[in-house]
Amino acid sequence: MTRTDVALAQPSVAQTADATRVAVSTVIFTLRRLPGSERFSVALPLVTRTRDPHEGQWALPGGWLDHGESLEAAASRTLAETTGLAPSYLEQLYAFGAVDRSPTRVVSIVYWALIRADEIPDGSVENTAWFDATTLPPLAFDHNEIVDYALWRLRNKVGYSRIAHGLLADEFTLAELREVYEAILDRRLDPANFRRQVEGSGTLIPTDRFRTGSHRPARLYRYNQDVELAERGPLSTRH
Amino acid sequence: MTRTDVALAQPSVAQTADATRVAVSTVIFTLRRLPGSERFSVALPLVTRTRDPHEGQWALPGGWLDHGESLEAAASRTLAETTGLAPSYLEQLYAFGAVDRSPTRVVSIVYWALIRADEIPDGSVENTAWFDATTLPPLAFDHNEIVDYALWRLRNKVGYSRIAHGLLADEFTLAELREVYEAILDRRLDPANFRRQVEGSGTLIPTDRFRTGSHRPARLYRYNQDVELAERGPLSTRH
DNA sequence: GCAAAAGTGTTAGGCATACACCCATGG
DNA sequence: CCATGGGTGTATGCCTAACACTTTTGC
């Protein structure tokens, strides 16, 4: 009898019940403006489990690792299969392998990802719903702890890399970039100092275009493609 | 026919030849004073592979994940079995899962570790030898890339955590602590500024004892146990 | 004109760097 | 007493935070 620790997934190769199996899950973050609030907040999609264990509970999107695919490819595939999403940024988070994290032995390689609101397909996907990252219900398995760790990593990494750009369109104003930082860090940033810091970092290229529509027009910027999105050291070019 | 991607290891549960298997390897660093040199340099142990693939080549110590043990326990166990070492610091590095990294499908959860020179048992262990981390021979599988990434992580982490203490005895002088930093970062540090930085960080407690024997005696310090060895966020208390 | 956001200027404080200098011990 | 590492003092420059101020638009 086969059990899964992720939703909507089935093993693709024959496995004995006693063997350790490898699953891949993804914590994928986006920003959304809550109704009634001016600020953005971090949200993520969860899927309902359709079988035991934890049937009916919410869980991270994921599935089994196929024999012929890399870990990152498995993360992308299972994310697309369960939620229809294709993230703009994807990075390995951690491998979870406690013996008792699932009734059967499962090692989960967890990825975390970013996606812009406009990249999310219209219309809801079956069994999928978006939740505020700070007020999650009890999730299946150790997925609450996994989300906590992913949030910690996101907040950490926004301080020393350009991952915030993974949540923005090609062109954006400094205010929009600042709102991304404010949502992730959950605190206000001084617009003047923020401008100087980010302008001095060399990661932004000013354009000739302006965002108009309210008050004084704001200059649009684009990414400097020469700068890495995130420092990953010797792994930056591989998977 | 069973193949392994780590030395001196054998699967403990029946596996089909086609199934993806989970291995655990460890990059364990120590410091040693090279003959003729005043400075310390980073070294790590490798084991010779005793079977195909890559028979005869040097590889990271490791082995298969047992069905009933956690990832970290597997790292500790396989490290002890192959090298006889029990590290003072152990942290997960990355999960490597490229399809072509081994003739059979193997996902390797790699840990990295620190050990003091005085914790290394006397007498050489069979098939094990220590290498300078910066001048390694071609290793089996993707182990060269893994070591590069572990070195990058070590150098990064020494800047924002206290992991250097994992390479020192309970009591140590500031010069000894500075030598650890200099070896890892491979550059000289100003003794005066280093002292102020580390004294101001609150991680050290001065003792009444002094290291004597040459010139002016140097005060011995010990760790402040209240401060985490390394920030791991929500994972700091678990495995 | 007025409100509000875009954008600039200025100051104070903290921290890293560089380096001059004094202290204490072994030989 | 002298060489050497232990340890202190201090000036400089950079970066951050705080906030006053000017500019430019919509209404």
Side-chain angles (χ1 to χ4, degrees):
Chain A
M1 168 174 137
T2 299
R3 296 182 161 198
T4 88
D5 92 327
V6 280
L8 302 173
Q10 58 283 329
S12 61
V13 287
Q15 310 257 9
T16 67
D18 281 344
T20 298
R21 285 174 301 164
V22 178
V24 174
S25 298
T26 303
V27 185
I28 178 164
F29 295 118
T30 193
L31 295 186
R32 59 176 183 179
R33 210 186 285 273
L34 288 179
S37 169
E38 293 179 2
R39 310 266 304 268
F40 286 95
S41 60
V42 180
L44 59 97
L46 298 173
V47 296
T48 46
R49 288 190 52 76
T50 57
R51 66 185 75 181
D52 260 340
H54 299 288
E55 180 173 348
Q57 272 196 288
W58 293 102
L60 290 171
W64 299 113
L65 172 70
D66 270 358
H67 191 260
E69 71 183 347
S70 70
L71 298 174
E72 186 169 325
S76 293
R77 174 184 57 80
T78 58
L79 187 61
E81 286 174 0
T82 54
T83 65
L85 300 174
S88 53
Y89 179 75
L90 183 66
E91 176 191 320
Q92 193 182 111
L93 178 69
Y94 200 76
F96 294 85
V99 177
D100 60 354
R101 61 184 298 276
S102 173
T104 61
R105 187 71 204 277
V106 176
V107 171
S108 281
I109 318 294
V110 178
Y111 280 73
W112 71 283
L114 299 176
I115 195 166
R116 300 194 308 269
D118 65 88
E119 290 177 311
I120 300 172
D122 286 341
S124 64
V125 176
E126 198 173 9
N127 294 325
T128 298
W130 291 80
F131 292 79
D132 195 284
T134 55
T135 57
L136 292 179
L139 306 183
F141 308 104
D142 49 2
H143 290 190
N144 284 97
E145 300 168 23
I146 293 176
V147 172
D148 285 345
Y149 183 46
L151 262 176
W152 180 82
R153 184 95 139 235
L154 170 65
R155 293 188 172 127
N156 239 309
K157 200 143 192 170
V158 80
Y160 63 87
S161 76
R162 325 180 328 179
I163 48 159
H165 299 305
L167 292 166
L168 288 168
D170 273 8
E171 298 194 339
F172 50 88
T173 67
L174 291 183
E176 290 164 354
L177 180 60
R178 179 169 46 82
E179 283 173 337
V180 171
Y181 276 76
E182 289 179 342
I184 293 173
L185 300 175
D186 197 27
R187 63 186 177 95
R188 293 280 185 188
L189 299 174
D190 184 301
N193 296 327
F194 182 81
R195 163 183 300 275
R196 265 183 296 258
Q197 272 177 259
V198 80
E199 275 181 338
S201 72
T203 59
L204 291 191
I205 297 174
T207 71
D208 295 335
R209 292 159 36 81
F210 289 81
R211 171 94 71 232
T212 182
S214 72
H215 311 296
R216 176 173 172 178
R219 184 180 295 277
L220 291 169
Y221 291 77
R222 56 169 64 252
Y223 325 125
N224 182 351
Q225 302 291 356
D226 297 342
V227 182
E228 288 269 344
L229 193 63
E231 279 302 327
R232 297 177 63 195
L235 295 183
S236 53
T237 56
R238 282 175 289 101
H239 310 305
Chain B
M1 167 174 139
T2 299
R3 296 181 161 198
T4 87
D5 92 326
V6 280
L8 303 173
Q10 58 283 330
S12 60
V13 287
Q15 312 255 7
T16 67
D18 281 345
T20 298
R21 284 173 302 164
V22 178
V24 175
S25 298
T26 303
V27 185
I28 176 164
F29 295 118
T30 194
L31 296 185
R32 59 176 183 179
R33 209 185 285 272
L34 288 179
S37 169
E38 292 178 2
R39 310 265 302 269
F40 286 96
S41 59
V42 180
L44 58 97
L46 298 172
V47 296
T48 46
R49 287 191 51 75
T50 56
R51 64 185 77 180
D52 259 341
H54 299 288
E55 179 173 349
Q57 271 196 288
W58 294 101
L60 290 171
W64 300 112
L65 174 68
D66 270 358
H67 190 260
E69 71 183 347
S70 70
L71 298 173
E72 186 169 326
S76 292
R77 174 184 57 80
T78 58
L79 187 62
E81 286 174 0
T82 54
T83 66
L85 300 174
S88 52
Y89 179 74
L90 183 66
E91 175 190 321
Q92 193 183 111
L93 178 68
Y94 200 76
F96 294 85
V99 176
D100 60 354
R101 62 185 297 275
S102 173
T104 60
R105 187 69 204 276
V106 177
V107 171
S108 281
I109 318 293
V110 178
Y111 280 72
W112 71 284
L114 299 177
I115 195 167
R116 300 196 307 269
D118 65 88
E119 291 176 310
I120 300 171
D122 287 342
S124 63
V125 177
E126 197 173 10
N127 294 326
T128 299
W130 291 79
F131 292 79
D132 195 286
T134 55
T135 57
L136 292 180
L139 305 184
F141 308 103
D142 49 3
H143 289 189
N144 283 97
E145 301 168 24
I146 292 176
V147 172
D148 285 346
Y149 183 46
L151 262 176
W152 179 81
R153 185 98 139 234
L154 171 65
R155 292 189 173 126
N156 239 308
K157 200 141 194 171
V158 80
Y160 64 87
S161 76
R162 327 179 325 180
I163 50 159
H165 299 305
L167 292 166
L168 288 169
D170 272 8
E171 299 194 337
F172 50 87
T173 68
L174 291 182
E176 289 164 355
L177 179 60
R178 179 168 48 82
E179 283 174 337
V180 171
Y181 276 75
E182 290 180 341
I184 293 174
L185 299 174
D186 198 27
R187 64 186 176 94
R188 291 283 185 186
L189 299 174
D190 184 304
N193 296 328
F194 182 81
R195 162 184 300 274
R196 266 184 295 259
Q197 273 177 258
V198 80
E199 275 181 338
S201 71
T203 59
L204 292 191
I205 297 174
T207 70
D208 294 335
R209 292 161 33 83
F210 289 81
R211 170 93 70 234
T212 181
S214 72
H215 311 297
R216 175 174 171 175
R219 184 179 294 276
L220 290 169
Y221 290 78
R222 56 171 62 250
Y223 326 124
N224 182 350
Q225 303 291 355
D226 296 344
V227 182
E228 289 269 344
L229 192 62
E231 278 302 327
R232 298 178 63 193
L235 296 183
S236 53
T237 55
R238 281 174 292 101
H239 309 307

